Structure formats: C-alpha cells, structure tokens
Short mmCIF file of all heavy atoms in Angstrom, two decimals:
data_model
loop_
_atom_site.label_atom_id
_atom_site.label_comp_id
_atom_site.label_asym_id
_atom_site.label_seq_id
_atom_site.Cartn_x
_atom_site.Cartn_y
_atom_site.Cartn_z
N GLY L 8 53.49 52.96 90.36
CA GLY L 8 53.39 51.73 89.59
C GLY L 8 52.42 50.73 90.20
O GLY L 8 51.92 49.85 89.53
N SER L 9 52.14 50.90 91.49
CA SER L 9 51.24 49.96 92.16
C SER L 9 49.78 50.24 91.84
O SER L 9 48.93 49.39 92.05
CB SER L 9 51.43 50.06 93.68
OG SER L 9 50.98 51.32 94.14
N GLY L 10 49.49 51.45 91.38
CA GLY L 10 48.11 51.83 91.11
C GLY L 10 47.34 52.24 92.34
O GLY L 10 46.18 52.59 92.27
N ASN L 11 47.99 52.20 93.51
CA ASN L 11 47.32 52.57 94.75
C ASN L 11 47.29 54.09 94.92
O ASN L 11 48.30 54.75 94.70
CB ASN L 11 48.03 51.95 95.95
CG ASN L 11 47.90 50.45 95.97
OD1 ASN L 11 46.86 49.90 95.63
ND2 ASN L 11 48.98 49.78 96.35
N PRO L 12 46.16 54.62 95.32
CA PRO L 12 46.07 56.07 95.54
C PRO L 12 46.85 56.50 96.78
O PRO L 12 47.30 55.67 97.57
CB PRO L 12 44.57 56.30 95.74
CG PRO L 12 44.06 55.00 96.26
CD PRO L 12 44.91 53.93 95.64
N PHE L 13 47.02 57.81 96.91
CA PHE L 13 47.63 58.36 98.11
C PHE L 13 46.67 59.40 98.68
O PHE L 13 45.78 59.89 97.99
CB PHE L 13 49.01 58.96 97.84
CG PHE L 13 49.03 60.13 96.89
CD1 PHE L 13 49.01 61.44 97.37
CD2 PHE L 13 49.08 59.94 95.52
CE1 PHE L 13 49.04 62.52 96.51
CE2 PHE L 13 49.10 61.02 94.64
CZ PHE L 13 49.08 62.31 95.15
N VAL L 14 46.82 59.70 99.95
CA VAL L 14 45.94 60.62 100.66
C VAL L 14 46.75 61.81 101.15
O VAL L 14 47.86 61.64 101.68
CB VAL L 14 45.26 59.93 101.86
CG1 VAL L 14 44.46 60.92 102.70
CG2 VAL L 14 44.35 58.81 101.37
N VAL L 15 46.20 63.01 100.95
CA VAL L 15 46.79 64.22 101.52
C VAL L 15 45.86 64.68 102.63
O VAL L 15 44.66 64.82 102.42
CB VAL L 15 46.95 65.33 100.46
CG1 VAL L 15 47.43 66.63 101.11
CG2 VAL L 15 47.90 64.88 99.36
N ARG L 16 46.43 64.87 103.83
CA ARG L 16 45.66 65.35 104.98
C ARG L 16 46.30 66.65 105.48
O ARG L 16 47.51 66.73 105.60
CB ARG L 16 45.67 64.31 106.10
CG ARG L 16 44.90 64.78 107.34
CD ARG L 16 44.95 63.77 108.46
NE ARG L 16 44.20 62.58 108.06
CZ ARG L 16 44.31 61.40 108.66
NH1 ARG L 16 45.12 61.24 109.67
NH2 ARG L 16 43.58 60.38 108.26
N VAL L 17 45.45 67.63 105.74
CA VAL L 17 45.91 68.92 106.29
C VAL L 17 45.17 69.14 107.60
O VAL L 17 43.95 69.03 107.66
CB VAL L 17 45.61 70.08 105.32
CG1 VAL L 17 46.09 71.40 105.89
CG2 VAL L 17 46.24 69.82 103.96
N SER L 18 45.92 69.47 108.64
CA SER L 18 45.35 69.76 109.95
C SER L 18 45.85 71.12 110.41
O SER L 18 47.02 71.46 110.20
CB SER L 18 45.77 68.72 110.98
OG SER L 18 45.41 67.43 110.57
N THR L 19 44.97 71.88 111.03
CA THR L 19 45.37 73.14 111.65
C THR L 19 44.93 73.11 113.10
O THR L 19 44.02 72.37 113.47
CB THR L 19 44.76 74.37 110.95
OG1 THR L 19 43.35 74.31 111.09
CG2 THR L 19 45.14 74.41 109.48
N ASP L 20 45.58 73.94 113.91
CA ASP L 20 45.14 74.06 115.29
C ASP L 20 44.80 75.51 115.61
O ASP L 20 44.90 76.38 114.74
CB ASP L 20 46.17 73.48 116.27
CG ASP L 20 47.46 74.28 116.35
OD1 ASP L 20 47.51 75.42 115.87
OD2 ASP L 20 48.42 73.76 116.92
N GLN L 21 44.39 75.75 116.85
CA GLN L 21 43.92 77.08 117.23
C GLN L 21 45.02 78.13 117.18
O GLN L 21 44.74 79.32 117.17
CB GLN L 21 43.27 77.05 118.63
CG GLN L 21 44.24 76.77 119.77
CD GLN L 21 44.44 75.29 120.05
OE1 GLN L 21 44.16 74.42 119.21
NE2 GLN L 21 44.94 74.98 121.24
N HIS L 22 46.29 77.72 117.11
CA HIS L 22 47.40 78.66 117.06
C HIS L 22 47.84 78.96 115.63
O HIS L 22 48.77 79.73 115.44
CB HIS L 22 48.58 78.11 117.86
CG HIS L 22 48.24 77.81 119.28
ND1 HIS L 22 47.92 78.78 120.20
CD2 HIS L 22 48.14 76.63 119.93
CE1 HIS L 22 47.65 78.22 121.36
NE2 HIS L 22 47.77 76.90 121.22
N GLY L 23 47.23 78.30 114.66
CA GLY L 23 47.60 78.50 113.27
C GLY L 23 48.69 77.57 112.78
O GLY L 23 49.19 77.74 111.68
N CYS L 24 49.07 76.60 113.59
CA CYS L 24 50.05 75.61 113.15
C CYS L 24 49.38 74.69 112.13
O CYS L 24 48.19 74.41 112.21
CB CYS L 24 50.54 74.78 114.33
SG CYS L 24 51.34 75.74 115.61
N VAL L 25 50.15 74.24 111.17
CA VAL L 25 49.63 73.37 110.11
C VAL L 25 50.48 72.10 110.07
O VAL L 25 51.70 72.15 110.13
CB VAL L 25 49.67 74.06 108.74
CG1 VAL L 25 49.26 73.10 107.63
CG2 VAL L 25 48.80 75.30 108.73
N ARG L 26 49.79 70.98 109.98
CA ARG L 26 50.45 69.69 109.78
C ARG L 26 49.98 69.16 108.44
O ARG L 26 48.78 69.02 108.18
CB ARG L 26 50.08 68.72 110.90
CG ARG L 26 50.77 67.38 110.75
CD ARG L 26 50.35 66.45 111.89
NE ARG L 26 50.82 65.12 111.68
CZ ARG L 26 51.97 64.64 112.14
NH1 ARG L 26 52.77 65.42 112.83
NH2 ARG L 26 52.32 63.39 111.91
N LEU L 27 50.93 68.88 107.57
CA LEU L 27 50.67 68.34 106.25
C LEU L 27 51.13 66.89 106.25
O LEU L 27 52.24 66.59 106.70
CB LEU L 27 51.46 69.14 105.20
CG LEU L 27 51.48 68.60 103.79
CD1 LEU L 27 50.09 68.64 103.17
CD2 LEU L 27 52.46 69.40 102.95
N GLU L 28 50.27 65.99 105.79
CA GLU L 28 50.61 64.57 105.73
C GLU L 28 50.30 64.02 104.35
O GLU L 28 49.28 64.37 103.76
CB GLU L 28 49.79 63.77 106.74
CG GLU L 28 49.98 64.17 108.17
CD GLU L 28 49.07 63.42 109.13
OE1 GLU L 28 48.18 62.64 108.67
OE2 GLU L 28 49.24 63.60 110.33
N VAL L 29 51.17 63.16 103.86
CA VAL L 29 50.90 62.40 102.65
C VAL L 29 51.01 60.93 103.03
O VAL L 29 52.06 60.46 103.48
CB VAL L 29 51.86 62.76 101.50
CG1 VAL L 29 51.61 61.84 100.30
CG2 VAL L 29 51.67 64.22 101.09
N HIS L 30 49.90 60.23 102.90
CA HIS L 30 49.80 58.80 103.24
C HIS L 30 49.90 58.01 101.93
O HIS L 30 49.17 58.31 100.98
CB HIS L 30 48.44 58.49 103.86
CG HIS L 30 48.16 59.23 105.13
ND1 HIS L 30 48.03 58.60 106.34
CD2 HIS L 30 47.99 60.56 105.37
CE1 HIS L 30 47.78 59.50 107.28
NE2 HIS L 30 47.74 60.69 106.71
N ASP L 31 50.78 57.02 101.91
CA ASP L 31 50.80 56.13 100.76
C ASP L 31 50.85 54.69 101.25
O ASP L 31 50.98 54.44 102.44
CB ASP L 31 51.93 56.47 99.78
CG ASP L 31 53.32 56.22 100.34
OD1 ASP L 31 53.56 55.16 100.95
OD2 ASP L 31 54.18 57.10 100.17
N GLN L 32 50.72 53.77 100.32
CA GLN L 32 50.62 52.37 100.70
C GLN L 32 51.93 51.60 100.54
O GLN L 32 51.94 50.38 100.63
CB GLN L 32 49.48 51.72 99.93
CG GLN L 32 48.15 52.33 100.33
CD GLN L 32 46.98 51.73 99.60
OE1 GLN L 32 47.00 50.55 99.25
NE2 GLN L 32 45.95 52.53 99.36
N ALA L 33 53.02 52.33 100.34
CA ALA L 33 54.33 51.67 100.27
C ALA L 33 54.82 51.40 101.68
O ALA L 33 54.70 52.25 102.56
CB ALA L 33 55.32 52.55 99.52
N ARG L 34 55.34 50.24 101.90
CA ARG L 34 55.80 49.87 103.24
C ARG L 34 57.31 50.06 103.39
O ARG L 34 57.91 49.53 104.32
CB ARG L 34 55.40 48.44 103.55
CG ARG L 34 53.89 48.29 103.64
CD ARG L 34 53.52 47.01 104.33
NE ARG L 34 52.08 46.90 104.42
CZ ARG L 34 51.35 47.38 105.41
NH1 ARG L 34 51.92 48.02 106.39
NH2 ARG L 34 50.04 47.23 105.43
N ASP L 35 57.91 50.85 102.51
CA ASP L 35 59.33 51.11 102.64
C ASP L 35 59.57 52.08 103.79
O ASP L 35 58.64 52.54 104.45
CB ASP L 35 59.91 51.66 101.33
CG ASP L 35 59.24 52.96 100.88
OD1 ASP L 35 58.48 53.56 101.66
OD2 ASP L 35 59.48 53.37 99.74
N THR L 36 60.80 52.39 104.05
CA THR L 36 61.13 53.27 105.17
C THR L 36 60.87 54.73 104.85
O THR L 36 60.94 55.57 105.74
CB THR L 36 62.60 53.11 105.58
OG1 THR L 36 63.43 53.40 104.45
CG2 THR L 36 62.85 51.71 106.10
N GLY L 37 60.59 55.03 103.61
CA GLY L 37 60.25 56.40 103.24
C GLY L 37 61.43 57.19 102.74
O GLY L 37 62.54 56.69 102.63
N PRO L 38 61.17 58.45 102.44
CA PRO L 38 62.21 59.29 101.86
C PRO L 38 63.29 59.63 102.89
O PRO L 38 63.05 59.65 104.09
CB PRO L 38 61.45 60.54 101.44
CG PRO L 38 60.27 60.59 102.35
CD PRO L 38 59.92 59.16 102.61
N VAL L 39 64.47 59.89 102.37
CA VAL L 39 65.59 60.31 103.20
C VAL L 39 66.27 61.48 102.50
O VAL L 39 66.11 61.68 101.29
CB VAL L 39 66.62 59.17 103.42
CG1 VAL L 39 66.01 58.04 104.24
CG2 VAL L 39 67.14 58.65 102.10
N LEU L 40 67.03 62.24 103.26
CA LEU L 40 67.82 63.31 102.67
C LEU L 40 69.03 62.71 101.96
O LEU L 40 69.71 61.84 102.51
CB LEU L 40 68.30 64.28 103.75
CG LEU L 40 67.22 65.13 104.39
CD1 LEU L 40 67.81 65.93 105.54
CD2 LEU L 40 66.58 66.06 103.38
N ALA L 41 69.28 63.19 100.76
CA ALA L 41 70.44 62.71 100.02
C ALA L 41 71.72 63.24 100.66
O ALA L 41 71.78 64.40 101.07
CB ALA L 41 70.35 63.17 98.57
#
C-alpha cells in the first residue's frame, strides 16, 4: 500500500551456501511464526 518497491538479493559462497534476502521499507518488526 505504500507504493515502495522491495529488493531481492541472492548471495552464494564458495561452498554453495545461498543467502536469500528480501529488503522492504517497512519499519515494523517483521514477520513472525503464527
């Protein structure tokens, strides 16, 4: 609803590990497990 875009970042390392990130502009505490 804010109209602000979000960013998806993917990082890999030499061992094949992957880090997935989603950056948004909401300053809330973020998602939690129900």
Side-chain angles (χ1 to χ4, degrees):
S9 68
N11 293 322
F13 63 96
V14 173
V15 174
R16 179 182 292 164
V17 181
S18 303
T19 63
D20 69 13
Q21 68 272 19
H22 303 293
C24 300
V25 174
R26 181 181 172 92
L27 171 66
E28 300 176 354
V29 175
H30 299 245
D31 67 46
Q32 295 180 32
R34 295 197 179 271
D35 59 11
T36 58
V39 295
L40 291 174

